[in-house]
Amino acid sequence: MRGPLSAVILSLACSAIGVPAPDAAAAYPNPLALQGPSFFVHDPSLVQRQSDGKYFLFTTHDKGGILTATQLAGPWTEVGSILPNDSTIQLPGRDDIWAPDVSYHNGQYYAYYSVSTFGSQNSGIGLATSPTMDPGTWTDHGLVIQSTTGAQYNCIDPNLIVGGDGVPRLSFGSFWNDIFQVQLGSNLQSTVGSPAQLSYNATGSHAEEGSFIWQRGSYHYLFISSGTCCGFDPNNLPAPGDEYKVFVGRSSSPNGPFVDKSGVDMRKTGGTLVLASHGNVYAPGGQAVFHDTKSNKDIFVYHYVPVNSPSPYNDSYATLGLNGIDWSSGWPVLTSL
């Protein structure tokens, strides 16, 4: 989950991991049409404030960029950053926050975030908290977990899940041995025990990252992004299906094992395809799930590269994607909003 730019931009406009069938794209619904001016969005985390229902959107770069809106369709407004004075984590990238994951617990909003540089395992996951999510209200608590060169995992792309058992767990990971999970202490700031692997793609460069776990009924669903996320050359694009796309597995437990629709373990290159490139949507990923209290719907949240941007396939125009989710089959199927 690594977007290429730090500046806000002008315009917002198969069951196993691998290449989706060429005609599969026709089945994907288009994302919600967004109103008003638009901004660079990558690795989005979407939260509705408890007090007034206002929407807060958090994104990679801009030191944990914050945008707000009163309607999902916008218009969205850039209002500031989580950590305008940089992270206290003393690692390269502390001035360029990645992939914030924000949720509400214990009367506070918790933002887990990544500090790293592109292609490095010298990475850390930190935590900041706020009573309101407004800029200027965030307190940085610093490092939660760190990885170094040669570790089994890479500590970026955090996601907090407090499962049906009430135990807080943090999933994370990017490439290397892919997705891991570690239990957190009751303060949500310290780790308990050692991380365990949740998902692994044995093919190619092991390109999995951006894990997100969502509980629906008796199941916990593990979503991951797989493939090339960014830095596309429109004259030399990845082979079709090698760009970003989203897969899922499920488990009755928040710590797995997660299996796909065919029963293949996510740790053994399993995964059911949820979303891939189609139409104007290229390389969708960086996903999350959000429950909208206004519509009483679960919303699939992601970024994508719009093909019809001023510079086609240029991920400096990465934008917000929103779709509904149909759970009636026991698996997430995206719908229009």
Side-chain angles (χ1 to χ4, degrees), residues 43-125:
D43 310 330
S45 180
L46 182 57
V47 182
Q48 203 168 5
R49 188 155 59 187
Q50 298 276 316
S51 61
D52 58 5
K54 189 174 186 178
Y55 297 105
F56 282 71
L57 178 67
F58 300 88
T59 177
T60 282
H61 300 320
D62 283 339
K63 305 188 180 188
I66 307 173
L67 296 93
T68 62
T70 57
Q71 302 292 329
L72 280 179
W76 291 88
T77 302
E78 183 199 13
V79 296
S81 305
I82 298 173
L83 298 177
N85 298 316
D86 304 340
S87 170
T88 57
I89 297 173
Q90 298 302 306
L91 288 173
R94 59 188 293 266
D95 59 346
D96 184 25
I97 303 305
W98 292 353
D101 173 73
V102 183
S103 54
Y104 184 75
H105 304 277
N106 307 322
Q108 294 274 312
Y109 296 93
Y110 285 69
Y112 293 89
Y113 63 86
S114 312
V115 170
S116 189
T117 54
F118 197 88
S120 173
Q121 245 185 315
N122 191 26
S123 310
I125 292 170

Side-chain angles (χ1 to χ4, degrees), residues 18-20 224-227 241-247 273 275-276 283-285:
V19 180
I224 59 99
S225 297
S226 176
D242 286 351
E243 77 280 8
Y244 238 25
K245 52 202 173 296
V246 180
F247 292 90
L273 189 63
L275 181 62

Side-chain angles (χ1 to χ4, degrees), residues 285-302:
Q287 71 291 323
V289 179
F290 156 77
H291 185 76
D292 180 27
T293 61
K294 292 183 179 180
S295 64
N296 196 31
K297 293 180 179 178
D298 286 348
I299 309 296
F300 195 70
V301 183
Y302 57 99

Side-chain angles (χ1 to χ4, degrees), residues 12-235:
L12 176 74
C14 274
S15 111
I17 288 182
V19 180
D23 58 351
Y28 299 119
N30 288 326
L32 179 68
L34 302 180
Q35 305 167 5
S38 310
F39 302 90
F40 173 83
V41 173
H42 212 272
D43 310 330
S45 180
L46 182 57
V47 182
Q48 203 168 5
R49 188 155 59 187
Q50 298 276 316
S51 61
D52 58 5
K54 189 174 186 178
Y55 297 105
F56 282 71
L57 178 67
F58 300 88
T59 177
T60 282
H61 300 320
D62 283 339
K63 305 188 180 188
I66 307 173
L67 296 93
T68 62
T70 57
Q71 302 292 329
L72 280 179
W76 291 88
T77 302
E78 183 199 13
V79 296
S81 305
I82 298 173
L83 298 177
N85 298 316
D86 304 340
S87 170
T88 57
I89 297 173
Q90 298 302 306
L91 288 173
R94 59 188 293 266
D95 59 346
D96 184 25
I97 303 305
W98 292 353
D101 173 73
V102 183
S103 54
Y104 184 75
H105 304 277
N106 307 322
Q108 294 274 312
Y109 296 93
Y110 285 69
Y112 293 89
Y113 63 86
S114 312
V115 170
S116 189
T117 54
F118 197 88
S120 173
Q121 245 185 315
N122 191 26
S123 310
I125 292 170
L127 171 65
T129 58
S130 165
T132 66
M133 296 189 287
D134 290 314
T137 67
W138 290 93
T139 299
D140 187 14
H141 301 281
L143 188 68
V144 175
I145 187 170
Q146 182 176 355
S147 59
T148 56
T149 300
Q152 279 191 300
Y153 45 76
N154 189 16
C155 283
I156 69 169
D157 295 355
N159 170 240
L160 175 66
I161 174 71
V162 181
D165 59 3
V167 176
R169 296 176 174 89
L170 196 71
S171 64
F172 60 90
S174 174
F175 291 74
W176 283 273
N177 290 301
D178 291 331
I179 308 303
F180 283 74
Q181 184 186 75
V182 68
Q183 184 176 324
L184 297 180
S186 59
N187 63 1
L188 304 183
Q189 298 179 36
S190 58
T191 60
V192 177
S194 299
Q197 190 181 58
L198 293 186
S199 184
Y200 179 65
N201 179 2
T203 66
S205 60
H206 317 304
E208 285 188 5
E209 54 187 9
S211 61
F212 186 92
I213 300 175
W214 182 255
Q215 184 176 0
R216 173 78 182 190
S218 60
Y219 287 108
H220 297 79
Y221 293 83
L222 170 63
F223 296 87
I224 59 99
S225 297
S226 176
T228 302
C229 75
C230 38
F232 301 110
D233 176 355
N235 298 311

